[in-house]
Amino acid sequence: DLVIFTGTIERKSLPDFYLAGDLFAMLSRFDTFGMVVLEAMAAGLPVLISSRVGAKDLVTEGENGFVVEDPADSDLVAGRIETMLSGEVRKRMGIAALQTARDNPWDGVVQKMINIYETIGEDQSLVSSNIPHP
């Protein structure tokens, strides 16, 4: 009775849903980045994500959330959730999560991606220039 399944919600309502939560969990088997992780952190929510979520690099274990290697390990997941539901822990981790979001604005994330692509492009150019052409 403490869980509400809302169905589809409008994007403009998302902040209200984040702010109504106590923590955020994304135990996906694969996700390239997981924009929702940073959104949840911006709402001051500690996060619990799988190691297969690209945003795992934003999580400092035990400070702003937890990363679990095997999301099917229900005992480990339950233990992490139990830890995060402690009022004092949730508050401390939520503050750290909010700071993480502040330190990673979207324009900064975009710039990091651009830098990665430029580096890959430069590396590819170097490789192509060193390959003998017939």
Side-chain angles (χ1 to χ4, degrees):
D1 66 334
L2 297 177
V3 176
I4 300 169
F5 292 95
T6 64
T8 304
I9 58 171
E10 293 182 31
R11 180 125 181 101
K12 66 181 179 181
S13 301
L14 279 176
D16 294 331
F17 282 86
Y18 286 123
L19 293 171
D22 293 318
L23 59 92
F24 177 81
M26 184 176 189
L27 300 171
S28 300
R29 292 177 192 246
F30 177 76
D31 194 293
T32 55
F33 180 75
M35 183 169 103
V36 294
V37 175
L38 199 52
E39 290 173 348
M41 290 177 146
L45 295 178
V47 299
L48 173 64
I49 63 174
S50 78
S51 62
R52 297 174 184 107
V53 173
K56 69 182 178 288
D57 296 332
L58 297 175
V59 179
T60 303
E61 192 73 12
E63 288 186 30
N64 58 6
F66 293 105
V67 177
V68 294
E69 187 63 36
D70 180 8
D73 184 344
S74 57
D75 290 335
L76 178 62
V77 169
R80 295 296 192 238
I81 290 172
E82 184 177 18
T83 298
M84 293 166 67
L85 288 177
S86 159
E88 184 179 311
V89 172
R90 187 173 63 244
K91 182 178 180 180
R92 176 182 53 79
M93 292 178 89
I95 291 168
L98 179 58
Q99 187 58 50
T100 298
R102 287 181 176 148
D103 292 343
N104 292 279
W106 279 115
D107 56 342
V109 172
V110 169
Q111 189 57 53
K112 285 178 186 176
M113 292 302 295
I114 290 170
N115 293 345
I116 289 169
Y117 283 121
E118 287 175 347
T119 301
I120 291 170
E122 290 169 6
D123 290 347
Q124 291 298 320
S125 295
L126 289 174
V127 169
S128 321
S129 65
N130 291 324
I131 297 175
H133 296 285

